[in-house]
Amino acid sequence: MGQDLTVNTGDAATETNPVARFGSYLHGGTSGLLTTFAIFPLHKAVFRQQLHSTLVREAVKQLYGEGLRKLYRGVAPRLLERTLQRTLFFGVQDTLQRRSSHLVAGRLPRPLLHAAAGVGTGVVEALVFTPFERVQNVLQNGRNDHRLPTHWSVLVRLSAEPRARGFYRALLPIIARNALGSGIYFGLKNPVRDALDQQGLSPTASSFTSGAVNSLVISLPLYPLSVLVANMQAGVGEEETRGGVRECARRLWAARERSVALLYRGGSLVILRSCVSWGITTAIYDRLERGTST
């Protein structure tokens, strides 16, 4: 543990090793691909709750009534988004951390360095993947099924809109959510995992628990931002996309009857989805990283 408190400049030898330099990109993409298929139905139920403020059983009943074909409607952009997102999430963070370690060698605790690189990664994520999230949220809104039935119809419609109302709707809250979440995740991931290792847990169990615990710490305070993003991005057209972040936040707060309980409706499923997702993702990623290093 003592060796993990400050930056280790011994990583320089790996800079010329392609596996060490790009393995984190491949491992991140693989973990994202496998996890997305496993939890997409749960993700869609959470989205419906965020959008329509329904109860858990109502959201599940609604999805069940739509059938299996519609259950995975919208999975293609999310699958592409999550695979690419996890590729950049782990790869860019690892790259930024390696580059920065030479500048702050011996002066910055390693968890803080990882967290700072995570914040930068979150900003990159938001700039690259906001259009994916926008398309996905439009497709998952059941009210768009008839007028925008296909991915292509959504792409054409959003292309005709100004960027602030089209593909990059809700960019600022997404930057805030991703930067904060990534910083917290990478700052806590290894310390929590190492602490669990010392308690006798297996490497896979330690990684899974670390990812799940971090997701809990991140999801609760940032959940309102996710609700805001879902509501801002679900609609299409001037009438449904009017107003900036403040105005949309005020409308959302009023629609939830100025109740924190209603704002957090669906929080239980968010916690479950996030814990399972990040537990699996972290376990797969760490397992692949250990396989590369041995």
Side-chain angles (χ1 to χ4, degrees):
M1 287 291 289
Q3 293 179 347
D4 198 42
L5 293 178
T6 56
V7 175
N8 182 1
T9 57
D11 289 340
T14 65
E15 292 296 326
T16 57
N17 185 343
V19 175
R21 290 169 56 194
F22 301 112
S24 56
Y25 290 87
L26 176 61
H27 299 160
T30 301
S31 65
L33 175 68
L34 297 176
T35 304
T36 300
F37 274 116
I39 67 163
F40 185 77
L42 184 58
H43 164 79
K44 197 165 186 178
V46 170
F47 176 82
R48 291 290 177 88
Q49 282 196 312
Q50 291 176 336
L51 187 61
H52 303 307
S53 189
T54 60
L55 297 174
V56 175
R57 62 176 178 271
E58 292 175 354
V60 173
K61 183 179 179 181
Q62 185 183 52
L63 292 174
Y64 180 80
E66 293 176 359
L68 184 61
R69 184 174 61 86
K70 282 193 174 182
L71 179 63
Y72 275 86
R73 171 179 158 86
V75 71
R78 183 165 183 82
L79 182 63
L80 179 59
E81 175 206 358
R82 279 293 185 244
T83 301
L84 294 176
Q85 189 177 41
R86 294 297 181 256
T87 299
L88 288 187
F89 182 77
F90 288 102
V92 171
Q93 191 277 340
D94 183 62
T95 298
L96 291 176
Q97 179 264 317
R98 289 180 186 276
R99 299 289 184 181
S100 302
S101 64
H102 303 296
L103 301 176
V104 296
R107 299 194 299 271
L108 192 67
R110 181 176 286 272
L112 186 57
L113 175 63
H114 288 181
V119 171
T121 301
V123 175
V124 173
E125 268 191 306
L127 294 175
V128 174
F129 294 110
T130 292
F132 289 90
E133 188 169 357
R134 176 73 160 118
V135 173
Q136 167 197 312
N137 284 338
V138 171
L139 284 169
Q140 290 184 153
N141 183 1
R143 297 171 183 173
N144 296 324
D145 284 355
H146 296 295
R147 59 173 178 158
L148 297 170
T150 65
H151 295 85
W152 180 251
S153 63
V154 174
L155 291 172
V156 171
R157 181 61 185 273
L158 292 178
S159 297
E161 298 283 346
R163 289 183 182 179
R165 293 207 313 262
F167 288 111
Y168 279 91
R169 176 75 170 163
L171 176 62
L172 291 181
I174 290 175
I175 288 177
R177 181 196 65 192
N178 289 10
L180 290 172
S182 298
I184 294 171
Y185 174 84
F186 283 110
L188 296 179
K189 172 179 173 288
N190 289 346
V192 172
R193 183 197 64 198
D194 294 343
L196 292 171
D197 281 340
Q198 291 185 344
Q199 299 301 316
L201 269 69
S202 67
T204 299
S206 296
S207 295
F208 180 90
T209 306
S210 174
V213 169
N214 285 336
S215 75
L216 176 62
V217 173
I218 294 167
S219 295
L220 286 179
L222 297 184
Y223 180 75
L225 277 177
S226 294
V227 177
L228 176 62
V229 169
N231 280 267
M232 289 183 68
Q233 290 194 332
V236 178
E238 184 173 357
E239 180 62 25
E240 296 185 18
T241 57
R242 58 185 174 84
V245 176
R246 289 185 180 181
E247 182 178 343
C248 291
R250 284 196 296 266
R251 290 204 302 265
L252 175 63
W253 184 237
R256 297 295 193 268
E257 301 176 6
R258 303 182 182 279
S259 168
V260 175
L262 289 179
L263 183 62
Y264 271 83
R265 174 171 284 181
S268 59
L269 275 183
V270 167
I271 294 172
L272 176 61
R273 179 196 67 180
S274 185
C275 288
V276 172
S277 172
W278 280 107
I280 294 173
T281 298
T282 305
I284 293 174
Y285 178 81
D286 285 353
R287 177 65 184 87
L288 293 172
E289 285 286 288
R290 289 194 298 271
T292 300
S293 61
T294 55

